[in-house]
Amino acid sequence: MIDLDAYSDTTRELWRLMNPCTLCPRKCNVNRSEGQTGSCGIGEMPVVSSAGPHFGEESVLVGRGGSGTIFFAGCNLGCIFCQNYDISHLRHGRQVTIEKLAQSMLELQAYGCSNINFVTPTHVVPAIAAALETARKKGMSLPTVYNTGGYDSVETLKLLKGLIDIYMPDAKYADAEAADQLSAAPDYPEINFAAVKEMHRQVGDLQVEKGLATQGLLIRHLVLPNNLAGSVEVIDFLAGEISPHTTINVMAQYRPCYHADSYPEVNRRPSLDEITSARRYAKQKGLNVLD
Ligand code: SF4
């Protein structure tokens, strides 16, 4: 149990949203501070799988020292093809204190990382907010990256205003049936589109200085075989309802993992034509497509 009186109103409000837990759209209503867990499988304190400089992220996040990634175990989505299932579904990692999490951020900064990149943060934002407060008081000044599967509630996101500099959500699906079958989240499209709107409202289009992102929205869209990701609809939404200057990474690296072999439609890589079509369409719509 942490001493919440030592933290800001925002952090205390995030903690309150965890008891009973309505932090994310699952709204499990479990009391996580009493040891109960919901769909994400994580209690009050976060479980960290790894923390360190990462050079495989988008080049605007990497720079010379890498992106300072902190991978959180557990996830509020149930993607049957998850490439990190040992972290998200099997929840491999170690539980950390707020002080330890803050210390990790300071160490990543001292190492020379370009930012602090919270990977799969949605279900542990109370601890992230508390640790950020602590780290910033001790001199942590790097931009923060919210690297999310994109199933986030607007109410929670509003509390992150000022804490997060770069939002990097997935936009996984535009179709409820695909979202239900592949990620157990039939409301993903409407939730995701509302979340992306709130993120853009807070930070705007992606700003890049000397090759490094400093603030803004960066969308990740993983092309799935058989158009299950609804690439055209996702791109139309971004161009029409977010900004024609939205930065997007149209990702080609899908490969069948975890339980994907039980679903014939996703049990193959997307074809070159499927990938290039999605990229071409995003460019036609004027989006800033990362190479
Ligand atoms: S954060 Fe976890 S426990 Fe809370 S509502 Fe979401 S899935 Fe459920």
Side-chain angles (χ1 to χ4, degrees):
M1 196 72 167
I2 72 163
D3 176 14
L4 285 175
D5 290 340
Y7 295 98
S8 67
D9 290 350
T10 299
T11 295
R12 287 205 295 272
E13 178 63 9
L14 286 166
W15 225 275
R16 189 192 64 74
L17 284 178
M18 192 166 55
N19 296 289
C21 195
T22 57
L23 270 181
C24 91
R26 297 267 179 219
K27 293 192 182 349
C28 298
N29 277 303
V30 293
N31 287 313
R32 290 173 57 189
S33 293
E34 293 173 12
Q36 297 170 355
T37 54
S39 278
C40 60
I42 299 295
E44 180 180 47
M45 302 308 288
V47 175
V48 169
S49 155
S50 67
H54 190 27
F55 293 86
E57 298 287 69
E58 286 76 354
S59 63
V60 290
L61 298 178
V62 173
R64 294 178 71 181
S67 181
T69 47
I70 301 177
F71 282 84
F72 293 102
C75 184
N76 69 339
L77 284 169
C79 305
I80 54 97
F81 52 78
C82 184
Q83 297 181 0
N84 291 325
Y85 65 90
D86 54 330
I87 303 172
S88 57
H89 296 315
L90 305 182
R91 300 190 280 276
H92 289 167
R94 278 201 180 164
Q95 194 178 76
V96 296
T97 62
I98 300 301
E99 291 69 29
K100 172 68 184 152
L101 190 53
Q103 187 59 32
S104 294
M105 296 180 204
L106 291 162
E107 285 169 7
L108 291 168
Q109 176 171 267
Y111 185 85
C113 290
S114 304
N115 44 58
I116 302 296
N117 184 343
F118 303 115
V119 186
T120 320
T122 304
H123 56 297
V124 289
V125 284
I128 289 173
L132 255 179
E133 277 190 52
T134 303
R136 283 183 170 164
K137 279 180 194 155
K138 294 183 177 177
M140 205 294 285
S141 58
L142 295 177
T144 52
V145 184
Y146 190 81
N147 182 346
T148 171
Y151 194 54
D152 293 86
S153 88
V154 170
E155 185 187 13
T156 301
L157 288 172
K158 282 183 174 168
L159 292 166
L160 302 183
K161 188 171 187 315
L163 292 175
I164 299 299
D165 300 297
I166 299 158
Y167 281 106
M168 186 164 66
D170 289 334
K172 289 181 186 291
Y173 308 103
D175 176 68
E177 197 179 325
D180 185 21
Q181 190 181 28
L182 302 177
S183 293
D187 56 355
Y188 183 94
E190 68 202 63
I191 294 281
N192 179 250
F193 286 6
V196 169
K197 276 186 184 169
E198 171 59 23
M199 293 173 187
H200 186 261
R201 188 189 70 78
Q202 288 182 25
V203 295
D205 292 332
L206 193 70
Q207 313 286 319
V208 177
E209 291 173 21
K210 296 180 183 165
L212 279 177
T214 55
Q215 182 180 309
L217 177 71
L218 196 173
I219 300 286
R220 279 179 166 174
H221 177 70
L222 181 68
V223 178
L224 294 176
N226 300 302
N227 194 33
L228 288 166
S231 301
V232 166
E233 292 82 356
V234 166
I235 291 163
D236 282 345
F237 160 72
L238 295 171
E241 295 189 44
I242 299 299
S243 161
H245 308 296
T246 302
T247 298
I248 184 170
N249 183 2
V250 179
M251 300 190 299
Q253 60 261 51
Y254 176 80
R255 64 185 199 282
C257 289
Y258 195 42
H259 294 316
D261 58 356
S262 306
Y263 296 79
E265 280 191 298
V266 287
N267 198 22
R268 67 164 172 87
R269 290 174 182 255
S271 67
L272 187 59
D273 184 50
E274 286 171 322
I275 294 160
T276 52
S277 296
R279 286 208 172 123
R280 195 183 313 123
Y281 188 67
K283 285 181 180 168
Q284 276 170 7
K285 297 296 276 189
L287 301 188
N288 177 27
V289 183
L290 296 181
D291 291 326

